[in-house]
Amino acid sequence: MSSQVRIRGSIDSTTQAIQAALINYLVAHPSADIELYRRNSVSVRIRIVDPGFHGLDQVDRHEQVWQYLDNLPEDVVSDISMVVLLTRQETAESLANLEFEDASRTLI
């Protein structure tokens, strides 16, 4: 994985706005790997794999990430249906991560 914010599947103004917000996260966390995709017309899923999450609980991880997403317009935020925040070691055992590894069935 490389350090960038990747959009898989269809790209639209919502996914581009989320990408732009998460680029700011990436600047602050250059070791992170960020990927998002639109699952359907009302659902965007985000995965961030960041070694900086090590030792942090889910609440602290979400607080770190949402400070970058909270400034997005309400209609963009309302499309975010899943935010998966993992360390590299956690990816192998995360069921939520599986959605990102085998999402081809749900992409539009």
Side-chain angles (χ1 to χ4, degrees):
M1 294 184 186
S2 61
S3 292
Q4 61 180 319
V5 180
R6 292 182 312 285
I7 301 174
R8 262 191 350 213
S10 64
I11 297 173
D12 57 35
S13 61
T14 296
T15 57
Q16 288 175 322
I18 295 168
Q19 180 186 44
L22 291 174
I23 286 171
N24 294 321
Y25 179 88
L26 189 59
V27 168
H29 303 267
S31 297
D33 183 67
I34 304 172
E35 186 171 10
L36 61 107
Y37 72 95
R38 179 169 285 291
R39 182 171 186 268
N40 58 44
S41 64
V42 295
S43 176
V44 175
R45 294 182 173 183
I46 301 167
R47 174 180 64 181
I48 301 176
V49 178
D50 186 348
F53 291 147
H54 180 74
L56 298 178
D57 63 23
Q58 287 297 320
V59 171
D60 291 335
R61 294 176 187 194
H62 278 271
E63 286 177 359
Q64 276 189 3
V65 171
W66 276 96
Q67 68 178 320
Y68 296 91
L69 299 173
D70 277 337
N71 294 323
L72 290 169
E74 185 177 327
D75 61 320
V76 172
V77 171
S78 69
D79 275 10
I80 299 172
S81 63
M82 179 185 284
V83 180
V84 179
L85 308 173
L86 304 166
T87 65
R88 181 103 33 241
Q89 295 77 18
E90 293 166 336
T91 60
E93 52 199 49
S94 169
L95 292 177
N97 186 58
L98 182 60
E99 180 67 31
F100 287 87
E101 296 301 323
D102 188 21
S104 61
R105 294 173 287 130
T106 60
L107 290 176
I108 58 170

